[in-house]
Amino acid sequence: MDPKISEFFDCIEPSCIRKAGIMFSQRQSKNANEQVKAINVAIGNVSLPTHPAMLKRFLNPKDDQLTKGIWRYTQTEGIDEVNDAFKNIIRSFLKPECKPNLYSLVDTGGSHIMRLVMLGVCGKPLSGEKPLLVVDPVYTNYVSIGEEIGRSVISIARDLTPDGVFSEIDLDYLENLIKTYKPGGLLIIPYDNPSGILTTQKQINEYAKICMKHNMFLISDEAYRGLYYIDDIDYAPSIWNISEHDVKGIESAGIRISIETLSKVFNACGLRMGALVTDNKLFFEQARAANTTYLCPSAIDQYIAGALAHESLNDLQNWVKNLREYYKKILKNLYNNFKKLDPNIVVTQPQASIYSIVDVRNIVKPGFDMDDFVMYCANEGFVDVLGQKMTLLVAPIRGFYKNQNVFANTQARIACVVSEEEMEYVPYLFVELVKQYEQKRSIGSKVSNM
């Protein structure tokens, strides 16, 4: 007789960005002779080389203690150099008039920072007090982490229009939600994950005014800072680019918190290095106190990431500019190729980050379930491409919605993280696999009706 696992473990399922990969690996182990290649665009696992300064440190470490094998705990908030690296990145994209006083704490990746931020802004566990207010659809980890630690998450609804743009947030509606639920903080993702929609600096400024008015934190997930594809933008939209002229009192309000990571813009997903940055000294001190339980993040990863503390403003801006040009081309091709294959597919227009949402609402029969389609692709589906069996792994969007959405069952997120050559296959594979899946559904429906 096995011991009984917890209720939490009994109910938990893999994240929607990981589930397809897990299922495909099980398919491979069961069918060892089946040679199917999976293009995995379900997870934002960037495959580009990392920044050369970090690679140089990894290949040629100079720290005497680390090279001698003396790997001690660092201070909980991380070594000064790695915190200076995150501050250096932020300051490299600021308008001249913006000079915020920044406090920084590093941890093992952005997801750990999300958890820490939610612990710091939300109410007591399971109380429903001071929930985190997010914008639907939102990066799935915020919803999952909220469930894990018993903190409430509420959302502002957005709908994907037929032309591939999400509806704008009505500020009066936002304020009514705040008055009703009294959230501890508003979370925004300016370079949006999963939608790829850009939040402008003007919109960020308006959110800041509302948060100041209601005495709540403005939290910004800036994992994709600088990855925007709209012309005529002088400075990267950011909560740190809110000047005193834009929002009176912002410099002394202490409401700003950003969630930072080196995973995306610096192509270092596996380094697992993120940071909590805030202009609120007390919030920083208490976040550090809360994190002492976990001692510190990896000293080796901190050392590698610290290299970015010494890069110039021009170097960091040029690095992101080159990435921006690369992803702009990839996302534009993805959009155009989908539309060439089937103009009725709804695809988000490339504006920011490295993601696109694809909606098949107009090309499938009623009852289509994106979660089931994703499992079909992972478990049995394939397309023959020049003699190679290939399948596609995408993330069903339902896991990104906090509240139910009428089109969630027909939407998927695609991450532009594989090679340019493989990204060219993505629209074709997706459309062909949808056709296969719909044919299978039709056959199953006929059999059940016999």
Side-chain angles (χ1 to χ4, degrees):
M1 181 176 178
D2 293 329
K4 186 171 177 58
I5 62 174
S6 70
E7 183 178 343
F8 176 75
F9 267 28
D10 193 42
C11 298
I12 198 71
E13 291 187 3
S15 165
C16 62
I17 63 176
R18 283 283 190 180
K19 191 172 183 179
I22 293 172
M23 294 299 108
F24 181 73
S25 66
Q26 293 176 357
R27 170 181 177 173
Q28 286 183 304
S29 63
K30 291 177 184 176
N31 306 288
N33 296 323
E34 184 187 36
Q35 300 298 315
V36 178
K37 177 181 178 180
I39 294 181
N40 190 348
V41 290
I43 183 171
N45 194 12
V46 179
S47 56
L48 295 172
T50 192
H51 192 283
M54 291 198 290
L55 181 59
K56 182 179 179 180
R57 279 210 176 181
F58 170 71
L59 295 174
N60 301 286
K62 304 296 183 185
D63 186 285
D64 290 341
Q65 295 294 300
L66 294 182
T67 56
K68 289 177 182 176
I70 302 171
W71 299 349
R72 304 182 68 201
Y73 296 131
T74 70
Q75 57 264 43
T76 292
E77 68 270 27
I79 59 176
D80 291 342
E81 187 184 40
V82 73
N83 283 292
D84 288 342
F86 280 103
K87 293 175 186 177
N88 188 34
I89 293 165
I90 291 171
R91 287 171 176 152
S92 294
F93 294 91
L94 292 182
K95 297 185 291 187
E97 64 268 29
C98 293
K99 298 178 181 179
N101 189 20
L102 302 176
Y103 301 92
S104 174
L105 174 155
V106 297
D107 203 350
T108 309
S111 294
H112 282 248
I113 298 298
M114 295 173 197
R115 179 182 181 276
L116 189 59
V117 168
M118 291 178 74
L119 288 172
V121 305
C122 296
K124 296 177 182 178
L126 305 177
S127 67
E129 298 171 356
K130 296 179 66 178
L132 181 68
L133 179 56
V134 304
V135 179
D136 258 342
V138 66
Y139 179 43
T140 183
N141 280 15
Y142 287 103
V143 178
S144 299
I145 291 170
E147 292 173 353
E148 179 183 334
I149 63 175
R151 265 62 179 190
S152 295
V153 177
I154 59 173
S155 65
I156 306 163
R158 282 188 302 178
D159 291 317
L160 181 59
T161 62
D163 60 355
V165 177
F166 273 88
S167 56
E168 292 189 7
I169 297 170
D170 181 271
L171 296 182
D172 290 333
Y173 171 63
L174 170 60
E175 283 215 69
N176 285 334
L177 279 177
I178 291 171
K179 291 173 183 176
T180 302
Y181 294 100
K182 298 178 174 53
L186 168 64
L187 170 77
I188 61 172
I189 308 178
Y191 312 84
D192 197 41
N193 177 7
S195 74
I197 301 300
L198 179 69
T199 305
T200 66
Q201 189 62 52
K202 182 179 178 181
Q203 289 170 316
I204 294 173
N205 295 348
E206 292 302 315
Y207 296 146
K209 291 175 185 176
I210 290 172
C211 287
M212 287 181 63
K213 177 180 176 181
H214 294 278
N215 196 29
M216 56 188 283
F217 287 102
L218 176 59
I219 305 145
S220 183
D221 185 328
E222 306 213 353
Y224 305 91
R225 180 186 289 106
L227 296 184
Y228 53 82
Y229 315 114
I230 296 177
D231 296 332
D232 302 325
I233 293 179
D234 295 324
Y235 295 95
S238 168
I239 59 169
W240 303 119
N241 263 328
I242 308 172
S243 69
E244 189 72 13
H245 173 75
D246 296 323
V247 180
K248 188 177 171 107
I250 190 67
E251 292 180 359
S252 59
I255 65 165
R256 291 179 286 183
I257 303 167
S258 67
I259 295 169
E260 307 286 334
T261 176
L262 300 183
S263 294
K264 312 304 182 184
V265 173
F266 292 92
N267 306 335
C269 293
L271 190 68
R272 307 308 298 133
M273 187 54 53
L276 181 161
V277 179
T278 181
D279 57 2
N280 187 310
K281 184 180 180 183
L282 177 61
F283 191 93
F284 159 75
E285 290 174 345
Q286 295 308 106
R288 177 177 57 189
N291 237 25
T292 54
T293 301
Y294 302 98
L295 304 176
C296 74
S298 163
I300 298 171
D301 290 9
Q302 289 184 63
Y303 170 71
I304 295 169
L308 296 177
H310 311 287
E311 296 301 296
S312 69
L313 178 151
N314 286 336
D315 173 85
L316 293 173
Q317 288 186 345
N318 286 334
W319 171 264
V320 176
K321 181 175 180 259
N322 289 334
L323 280 182
R324 187 159 59 236
E325 291 170 355
Y326 171 81
Y327 283 120
K328 182 177 182 179
K329 176 184 174 184
I330 294 283
L331 283 160
K332 185 176 180 180
N333 285 343
L334 183 75
Y335 178 87
N336 289 337
N337 290 338
F338 265 115
K339 288 298 185 180
K340 286 176 185 176
L341 287 167
D342 193 329
N344 292 317
I345 293 179
V346 179
V347 188
T348 51
Q349 298 180 14
Q351 292 185 334
S353 77
I354 62 174
Y355 304 105
S356 183
I357 289 179
V358 179
D359 193 328
V360 296
R361 67 177 87 161
N362 297 327
I363 66 168
V364 296
K365 296 175 182 176
F368 182 92
D369 188 309
M370 185 60 72
D371 292 68
D372 192 59
F373 167 71
V374 168
M375 290 301 98
Y376 167 78
C377 295
N379 288 321
E380 57 181 292
F382 70 86
V383 178
D384 191 295
V385 180
L386 301 175
Q388 168 74 66
K389 293 180 179 179
M390 301 179 73
T391 192
L392 185 68
L393 308 182
V394 298
I397 216 70
R398 184 188 291 133
F400 291 80
Y401 280 103
K402 177 62 181 72
N403 291 322
Q404 290 184 349
N405 182 283
V406 66
F407 294 121
N409 285 347
T410 57
Q411 295 177 0
R413 187 194 75 169
I414 291 174
C416 298
V417 293
V418 295
S419 69
E420 288 187 71
E421 180 184 2
E422 289 184 324
M423 285 304 304
E424 289 290 327
Y425 290 129
V426 169
Y428 173 72
L429 290 172
F430 186 91
V431 170
E432 289 301 309
L433 286 163
V434 167
K435 290 178 182 176
Q436 288 180 18
Y437 177 73
E438 284 294 87
Q439 185 177 23
K440 179 186 175 184
R441 282 212 304 144
S442 295
I443 294 171
S445 177
K446 289 178 182 177
V447 171
S448 64
N449 290 330
M450 288 176 65

